Amino acid sequence: MPFLTTEESFLNPTSEPVEMPTDVNKVKPAATASLAYPAFLEQYRTKLRQLFHERADVNNLALSRGLPPFVMREIRACDPLSVWIPSEYGGRGGITAECIAMLAASSYESLALSLTFGINGALFLQPIARYGEESVRQSVYKRVIHGKAMGGLM
């Protein structure tokens, strides 16, 4: 086997050329993808504040495992996991600093929420971007953005 030098040959160690599909942009962008990142982050922080302090009592939420479905549904409507997804698949670009800022905003209100999003992003979405096959990327990212699926639990 020849020495593998390119990422393409690493992902496909056969000697056959890898054909890249031309319809990568079939994944519709996240609803919040058009917002500038500072506006996106402020909208996300505002939603978290509203949910954890107005609609639900943060102290009561901390006493039970998980989050009520309405809380998670409204948080996911802000598309926080889109920060981990490359822009060509409808996400915000997978920029590490933006991912960390989203996790910081999440952890300010709920450590459990931040851990959930951090694990889903760093251990699932980010590796898919780096090592996943094209068809897998499209399918997974579409389900995360539009179906509100999370991590390997899809």
PDB file of all heavy atoms in Angstrom, residues 80-110:
ATOM      1  N   PRO A  80     -28.764  25.530  18.290  1.00  0.00           N
ATOM      2  CA  PRO A  80     -27.425  25.661  18.875  1.00  0.00           C
ATOM      3  C   PRO A  80     -26.410  24.665  18.318  1.00  0.00           C
ATOM      4  O   PRO A  80     -25.228  24.983  18.230  1.00  0.00           O
ATOM      5  CB  PRO A  80     -27.664  25.435  20.363  1.00  0.00           C
ATOM      6  CG  PRO A  80     -28.933  24.660  20.449  1.00  0.00           C
ATOM      7  CD  PRO A  80     -29.754  25.109  19.280  1.00  0.00           C
ATOM      8  N   LEU A  81     -26.861  23.485  17.920  1.00  0.00           N
ATOM      9  CA  LEU A  81     -25.906  22.506  17.379  1.00  0.00           C
ATOM     10  C   LEU A  81     -25.432  22.865  15.970  1.00  0.00           C
ATOM     11  O   LEU A  81     -24.478  22.275  15.473  1.00  0.00           O
ATOM     12  CB  LEU A  81     -26.512  21.100  17.400  1.00  0.00           C
ATOM     13  CG  LEU A  81     -26.695  20.491  18.791  1.00  0.00           C
ATOM     14  CD1 LEU A  81     -27.383  19.132  18.705  1.00  0.00           C
ATOM     15  CD2 LEU A  81     -25.370  20.365  19.513  1.00  0.00           C
ATOM     16  N   SER A  82     -26.066  23.844  15.344  1.00  0.00           N
ATOM     17  CA  SER A  82     -25.647  24.246  13.996  1.00  0.00           C
ATOM     18  C   SER A  82     -24.242  24.849  14.004  1.00  0.00           C
ATOM     19  O   SER A  82     -23.595  24.899  12.967  1.00  0.00           O
ATOM     20  CB  SER A  82     -26.639  25.227  13.378  1.00  0.00           C
ATOM     21  OG  SER A  82     -26.626  26.467  14.064  1.00  0.00           O
ATOM     22  N   VAL A  83     -23.754  25.289  15.179  1.00  0.00           N
ATOM     23  CA  VAL A  83     -22.399  25.848  15.235  1.00  0.00           C
ATOM     24  C   VAL A  83     -21.345  24.777  14.932  1.00  0.00           C
ATOM     25  O   VAL A  83     -20.247  25.099  14.502  1.00  0.00           O
ATOM     26  CB  VAL A  83     -22.089  26.536  16.586  1.00  0.00           C
ATOM     27  CG1 VAL A  83     -23.006  27.716  16.825  1.00  0.00           C
ATOM     28  CG2 VAL A  83     -22.130  25.565  17.733  1.00  0.00           C
ATOM     29  N   TRP A  84     -21.679  23.518  15.144  1.00  0.00           N
ATOM     30  CA  TRP A  84     -20.732  22.427  14.901  1.00  0.00           C
ATOM     31  C   TRP A  84     -20.762  21.962  13.448  1.00  0.00           C
ATOM     32  O   TRP A  84     -19.907  21.168  13.037  1.00  0.00           O
ATOM     33  CB  TRP A  84     -21.060  21.228  15.788  1.00  0.00           C
ATOM     34  CG  TRP A  84     -20.965  21.495  17.243  1.00  0.00           C
ATOM     35  CD1 TRP A  84     -21.977  21.869  18.073  1.00  0.00           C
ATOM     36  CD2 TRP A  84     -19.799  21.406  18.056  1.00  0.00           C
ATOM     37  NE1 TRP A  84     -21.504  22.023  19.348  1.00  0.00           N
ATOM     38  CE2 TRP A  84     -20.174  21.736  19.369  1.00  0.00           C
ATOM     39  CE3 TRP A  84     -18.471  21.072  17.803  1.00  0.00           C
ATOM     40  CZ2 TRP A  84     -19.278  21.753  20.422  1.00  0.00           C
ATOM     41  CZ3 TRP A  84     -17.579  21.077  18.859  1.00  0.00           C
ATOM     42  CH2 TRP A  84     -17.979  21.420  20.143  1.00  0.00           C
ATOM     43  N   ILE A  85     -21.740  22.375  12.680  1.00  0.00           N
ATOM     44  CA  ILE A  85     -21.971  21.848  11.342  1.00  0.00           C
ATOM     45  C   ILE A  85     -21.375  22.787  10.290  1.00  0.00           C
ATOM     46  O   ILE A  85     -21.624  23.993  10.325  1.00  0.00           O
ATOM     47  CB  ILE A  85     -23.482  21.643  11.109  1.00  0.00           C
ATOM     48  CG1 ILE A  85     -24.006  20.623  12.126  1.00  0.00           C
ATOM     49  CG2 ILE A  85     -23.777  21.201   9.686  1.00  0.00           C
ATOM     50  CD1 ILE A  85     -25.505  20.429  12.109  1.00  0.00           C
ATOM     51  N   PRO A  86     -20.610  22.230   9.334  1.00  0.00           N
ATOM     52  CA  PRO A  86     -20.037  23.070   8.271  1.00  0.00           C
ATOM     53  C   PRO A  86     -21.132  23.807   7.490  1.00  0.00           C
ATOM     54  O   PRO A  86     -22.237  23.306   7.316  1.00  0.00           O
ATOM     55  CB  PRO A  86     -19.314  22.057   7.378  1.00  0.00           C
ATOM     56  CG  PRO A  86     -19.047  20.883   8.261  1.00  0.00           C
ATOM     57  CD  PRO A  86     -20.199  20.824   9.212  1.00  0.00           C
ATOM     58  N   SER A  87     -20.794  25.000   7.022  1.00  0.00           N
ATOM     59  CA  SER A  87     -21.781  25.829   6.324  1.00  0.00           C
ATOM     60  C   SER A  87     -22.291  25.184   5.050  1.00  0.00           C
ATOM     61  O   SER A  87     -23.441  25.389   4.667  1.00  0.00           O
ATOM     62  CB  SER A  87     -21.211  27.217   6.033  1.00  0.00           C
ATOM     63  OG  SER A  87     -20.004  27.106   5.333  1.00  0.00           O
ATOM     64  N   GLU A  88     -21.491  24.384   4.384  1.00  0.00           N
ATOM     65  CA  GLU A  88     -21.962  23.738   3.148  1.00  0.00           C
ATOM     66  C   GLU A  88     -23.043  22.695   3.407  1.00  0.00           C
ATOM     67  O   GLU A  88     -23.674  22.207   2.485  1.00  0.00           O
ATOM     68  CB  GLU A  88     -20.812  23.126   2.338  1.00  0.00           C
ATOM     69  CG  GLU A  88     -20.010  22.080   3.048  1.00  0.00           C
ATOM     70  CD  GLU A  88     -18.777  22.627   3.740  1.00  0.00           C
ATOM     71  OE1 GLU A  88     -18.738  23.810   4.076  1.00  0.00           O
ATOM     72  OE2 GLU A  88     -17.843  21.839   3.947  1.00  0.00           O
ATOM     73  N   TYR A  89     -23.274  22.373   4.661  1.00  0.00           N
ATOM     74  CA  TYR A  89     -24.335  21.429   5.034  1.00  0.00           C
ATOM     75  C   TYR A  89     -25.456  22.121   5.802  1.00  0.00           C
ATOM     76  O   TYR A  89     -26.249  21.470   6.464  1.00  0.00           O
ATOM     77  CB  TYR A  89     -23.764  20.277   5.857  1.00  0.00           C
ATOM     78  CG  TYR A  89     -22.738  19.487   5.097  1.00  0.00           C
ATOM     79  CD1 TYR A  89     -21.390  19.732   5.279  1.00  0.00           C
ATOM     80  CD2 TYR A  89     -23.123  18.532   4.162  1.00  0.00           C
ATOM     81  CE1 TYR A  89     -20.442  19.027   4.561  1.00  0.00           C
ATOM     82  CE2 TYR A  89     -22.183  17.829   3.440  1.00  0.00           C
ATOM     83  CZ  TYR A  89     -20.848  18.092   3.644  1.00  0.00           C
ATOM     84  OH  TYR A  89     -19.903  17.398   2.925  1.00  0.00           O
ATOM     85  N   GLY A  90     -25.488  23.443   5.755  1.00  0.00           N
ATOM     86  CA  GLY A  90     -26.572  24.174   6.383  1.00  0.00           C
ATOM     87  C   GLY A  90     -26.279  24.686   7.778  1.00  0.00           C
ATOM     88  O   GLY A  90     -27.138  25.288   8.410  1.00  0.00           O
ATOM     89  N   GLY A  91     -25.066  24.454   8.271  1.00  0.00           N
ATOM     90  CA  GLY A  91     -24.717  24.900   9.614  1.00  0.00           C
ATOM     91  C   GLY A  91     -24.066  26.271   9.622  1.00  0.00           C
ATOM     92  O   GLY A  91     -24.050  26.980   8.615  1.00  0.00           O
ATOM     93  N   ARG A  92     -23.497  26.622  10.742  1.00  0.00           N
ATOM     94  CA  ARG A  92     -22.867  27.936  10.914  1.00  0.00           C
ATOM     95  C   ARG A  92     -21.376  27.899  10.576  1.00  0.00           C
ATOM     96  O   ARG A  92     -20.715  28.919  10.646  1.00  0.00           O
ATOM     97  CB  ARG A  92     -23.066  28.424  12.333  1.00  0.00           C
ATOM     98  CG  ARG A  92     -24.559  28.605  12.680  1.00  0.00           C
ATOM     99  CD  ARG A  92     -24.737  29.464  13.882  1.00  0.00           C
ATOM    100  NE  ARG A  92     -24.193  30.784  13.675  1.00  0.00           N
ATOM    101  CZ  ARG A  92     -24.847  31.806  13.093  1.00  0.00           C
ATOM    102  NH1 ARG A  92     -26.065  31.628  12.673  1.00  0.00           N
ATOM    103  NH2 ARG A  92     -24.270  32.972  12.956  1.00  0.00           N
ATOM    104  N   GLY A  93     -20.815  26.743  10.282  1.00  0.00           N
ATOM    105  CA  GLY A  93     -19.439  26.685   9.818  1.00  0.00           C
ATOM    106  C   GLY A  93     -18.477  25.857  10.637  1.00  0.00           C
ATOM    107  O   GLY A  93     -17.350  25.637  10.243  1.00  0.00           O
ATOM    108  N   GLY A  94     -18.879  25.388  11.810  1.00  0.00           N
ATOM    109  CA  GLY A  94     -17.993  24.549  12.610  1.00  0.00           C
ATOM    110  C   GLY A  94     -16.783  25.291  13.147  1.00  0.00           C
ATOM    111  O   GLY A  94     -15.728  24.702  13.360  1.00  0.00           O
ATOM    112  N   ILE A  95     -16.904  26.575  13.395  1.00  0.00           N
ATOM    113  CA  ILE A  95     -15.795  27.387  13.905  1.00  0.00           C
ATOM    114  C   ILE A  95     -15.672  27.138  15.415  1.00  0.00           C
ATOM    115  O   ILE A  95     -16.614  27.348  16.171  1.00  0.00           O
ATOM    116  CB  ILE A  95     -16.035  28.880  13.607  1.00  0.00           C
ATOM    117  CG1 ILE A  95     -16.133  29.071  12.089  1.00  0.00           C
ATOM    118  CG2 ILE A  95     -14.945  29.750  14.213  1.00  0.00           C
ATOM    119  CD1 ILE A  95     -16.684  30.411  11.669  1.00  0.00           C
ATOM    120  N   THR A  96     -14.506  26.686  15.828  1.00  0.00           N
ATOM    121  CA  THR A  96     -14.286  26.261  17.212  1.00  0.00           C
ATOM    122  C   THR A  96     -14.628  27.351  18.226  1.00  0.00           C
ATOM    123  O   THR A  96     -15.271  27.078  19.242  1.00  0.00           O
ATOM    124  CB  THR A  96     -12.841  25.781  17.399  1.00  0.00           C
ATOM    125  OG1 THR A  96     -12.597  24.720  16.471  1.00  0.00           O
ATOM    126  CG2 THR A  96     -12.599  25.281  18.802  1.00  0.00           C
ATOM    127  N   ALA A  97     -14.228  28.583  17.965  1.00  0.00           N
ATOM    128  CA  ALA A  97     -14.509  29.669  18.908  1.00  0.00           C
ATOM    129  C   ALA A  97     -16.015  29.870  19.080  1.00  0.00           C
ATOM    130  O   ALA A  97     -16.484  30.162  20.191  1.00  0.00           O
ATOM    131  CB  ALA A  97     -13.857  30.965  18.428  1.00  0.00           C
ATOM    132  N   GLU A  98     -16.775  29.719  18.010  1.00  0.00           N
ATOM    133  CA  GLU A  98     -18.226  29.858  18.103  1.00  0.00           C
ATOM    134  C   GLU A  98     -18.840  28.694  18.872  1.00  0.00           C
ATOM    135  O   GLU A  98     -19.788  28.878  19.635  1.00  0.00           O
ATOM    136  CB  GLU A  98     -18.833  29.975  16.711  1.00  0.00           C
ATOM    137  CG  GLU A  98     -18.451  31.255  16.006  1.00  0.00           C
ATOM    138  CD  GLU A  98     -19.072  31.414  14.636  1.00  0.00           C
ATOM    139  OE1 GLU A  98     -19.842  30.551  14.193  1.00  0.00           O
ATOM    140  OE2 GLU A  98     -18.781  32.445  14.000  1.00  0.00           O
ATOM    141  N   CYS A  99     -18.296  27.502  18.676  1.00  0.00           N
ATOM    142  CA  CYS A  99     -18.769  26.335  19.423  1.00  0.00           C
ATOM    143  C   CYS A  99     -18.551  26.540  20.918  1.00  0.00           C
ATOM    144  O   CYS A  99     -19.449  26.280  21.735  1.00  0.00           O
ATOM    145  CB  CYS A  99     -18.042  25.069  18.965  1.00  0.00           C
ATOM    146  SG  CYS A  99     -18.325  24.630  17.253  1.00  0.00           S
ATOM    147  N   ILE A 100     -17.383  27.019  21.280  1.00  0.00           N
ATOM    148  CA  ILE A 100     -17.059  27.245  22.689  1.00  0.00           C
ATOM    149  C   ILE A 100     -17.935  28.344  23.284  1.00  0.00           C
ATOM    150  O   ILE A 100     -18.405  28.228  24.424  1.00  0.00           O
ATOM    151  CB  ILE A 100     -15.558  27.549  22.855  1.00  0.00           C
ATOM    152  CG1 ILE A 100     -14.748  26.289  22.512  1.00  0.00           C
ATOM    153  CG2 ILE A 100     -15.233  28.050  24.254  1.00  0.00           C
ATOM    154  CD1 ILE A 100     -13.266  26.509  22.411  1.00  0.00           C
ATOM    155  N   ALA A 101     -18.192  29.398  22.527  1.00  0.00           N
ATOM    156  CA  ALA A 101     -19.046  30.482  23.020  1.00  0.00           C
ATOM    157  C   ALA A 101     -20.475  29.983  23.248  1.00  0.00           C
ATOM    158  O   ALA A 101     -21.119  30.360  24.234  1.00  0.00           O
ATOM    159  CB  ALA A 101     -19.043  31.655  22.042  1.00  0.00           C
ATOM    160  N   MET A 102     -20.970  29.128  22.358  1.00  0.00           N
ATOM    161  CA  MET A 102     -22.312  28.563  22.537  1.00  0.00           C
ATOM    162  C   MET A 102     -22.341  27.689  23.783  1.00  0.00           C
ATOM    163  O   MET A 102     -23.288  27.741  24.572  1.00  0.00           O
ATOM    164  CB  MET A 102     -22.714  27.749  21.300  1.00  0.00           C
ATOM    165  CG  MET A 102     -24.131  27.189  21.348  1.00  0.00           C
ATOM    166  SD  MET A 102     -24.346  25.618  22.235  1.00  0.00           S
ATOM    167  CE  MET A 102     -23.381  24.507  21.253  1.00  0.00           C
ATOM    168  N   LEU A 103     -21.301  26.894  23.992  1.00  0.00           N
ATOM    169  CA  LEU A 103     -21.239  26.048  25.193  1.00  0.00           C
ATOM    170  C   LEU A 103     -21.132  26.890  26.465  1.00  0.00           C
ATOM    171  O   LEU A 103     -21.723  26.545  27.486  1.00  0.00           O
ATOM    172  CB  LEU A 103     -20.071  25.067  25.093  1.00  0.00           C
ATOM    173  CG  LEU A 103     -20.200  23.997  24.016  1.00  0.00           C
ATOM    174  CD1 LEU A 103     -18.926  23.167  23.939  1.00  0.00           C
ATOM    175  CD2 LEU A 103     -21.405  23.125  24.273  1.00  0.00           C
ATOM    176  N   ALA A 104     -20.407  27.989  26.405  1.00  0.00           N
ATOM    177  CA  ALA A 104     -20.292  28.878  27.566  1.00  0.00           C
ATOM    178  C   ALA A 104     -21.649  29.476  27.912  1.00  0.00           C
ATOM    179  O   ALA A 104     -22.022  29.541  29.091  1.00  0.00           O
ATOM    180  CB  ALA A 104     -19.274  29.976  27.289  1.00  0.00           C
ATOM    181  N   ALA A 105     -22.388  29.909  26.903  1.00  0.00           N
ATOM    182  CA  ALA A 105     -23.725  30.457  27.141  1.00  0.00           C
ATOM    183  C   ALA A 105     -24.642  29.386  27.734  1.00  0.00           C
ATOM    184  O   ALA A 105     -25.426  29.664  28.651  1.00  0.00           O
ATOM    185  CB  ALA A 105     -24.319  30.989  25.837  1.00  0.00           C
ATOM    186  N   SER A 106     -24.523  28.163  27.233  1.00  0.00           N
ATOM    187  CA  SER A 106     -25.343  27.057  27.747  1.00  0.00           C
ATOM    188  C   SER A 106     -24.990  26.743  29.186  1.00  0.00           C
ATOM    189  O   SER A 106     -25.874  26.555  30.026  1.00  0.00           O
ATOM    190  CB  SER A 106     -25.140  25.797  26.895  1.00  0.00           C
ATOM    191  OG  SER A 106     -25.491  26.028  25.561  1.00  0.00           O
ATOM    192  N   SER A 107     -23.705  26.675  29.495  1.00  0.00           N
ATOM    193  CA  SER A 107     -23.288  26.296  30.848  1.00  0.00           C
ATOM    194  C   SER A 107     -23.618  27.370  31.871  1.00  0.00           C
ATOM    195  O   SER A 107     -23.776  27.062  33.051  1.00  0.00           O
ATOM    196  CB  SER A 107     -21.795  25.966  30.876  1.00  0.00           C
ATOM    197  OG  SER A 107     -21.027  27.113  30.592  1.00  0.00           O
ATOM    198  N   TYR A 108     -23.754  28.604  31.437  1.00  0.00           N
ATOM    199  CA  TYR A 108     -24.127  29.674  32.369  1.00  0.00           C
ATOM    200  C   TYR A 108     -25.509  29.411  32.960  1.00  0.00           C
ATOM    201  O   TYR A 108     -25.773  29.726  34.110  1.00  0.00           O
ATOM    202  CB  TYR A 108     -24.100  31.029  31.657  1.00  0.00           C
ATOM    203  CG  TYR A 108     -24.302  32.182  32.603  1.00  0.00           C
ATOM    204  CD1 TYR A 108     -23.254  32.636  33.384  1.00  0.00           C
ATOM    205  CD2 TYR A 108     -25.540  32.807  32.718  1.00  0.00           C
ATOM    206  CE1 TYR A 108     -23.437  33.691  34.277  1.00  0.00           C
ATOM    207  CE2 TYR A 108     -25.732  33.853  33.605  1.00  0.00           C
ATOM    208  CZ  TYR A 108     -24.679  34.295  34.369  1.00  0.00           C
ATOM    209  OH  TYR A 108     -24.859  35.330  35.256  1.00  0.00           O
ATOM    210  N   GLU A 109     -26.396  28.817  32.164  1.00  0.00           N
ATOM    211  CA  GLU A 109     -27.751  28.512  32.627  1.00  0.00           C
ATOM    212  C   GLU A 109     -27.902  27.070  33.120  1.00  0.00           C
ATOM    213  O   GLU A 109     -28.662  26.805  34.029  1.00  0.00           O
ATOM    214  CB  GLU A 109     -28.775  28.783  31.524  1.00  0.00           C
ATOM    215  CG  GLU A 109     -28.825  30.217  31.062  1.00  0.00           C
ATOM    216  CD  GLU A 109     -29.238  31.209  32.139  1.00  0.00           C
ATOM    217  OE1 GLU A 109     -29.827  30.788  33.160  1.00  0.00           O
ATOM    218  OE2 GLU A 109     -28.967  32.401  31.977  1.00  0.00           O
ATOM    219  N   SER A 110     -27.181  26.119  32.472  1.00  0.00           N
ATOM    220  CA  SER A 110     -27.343  24.712  32.830  1.00  0.00           C
ATOM    221  C   SER A 110     -26.102  23.929  32.431  1.00  0.00           C
ATOM    222  O   SER A 110     -25.823  23.783  31.237  1.00  0.00           O
ATOM    223  CB  SER A 110     -28.576  24.138  32.122  1.00  0.00           C
ATOM    224  OG  SER A 110     -28.604  22.739  32.239  1.00  0.00           O
TER     225      SER A 110
END
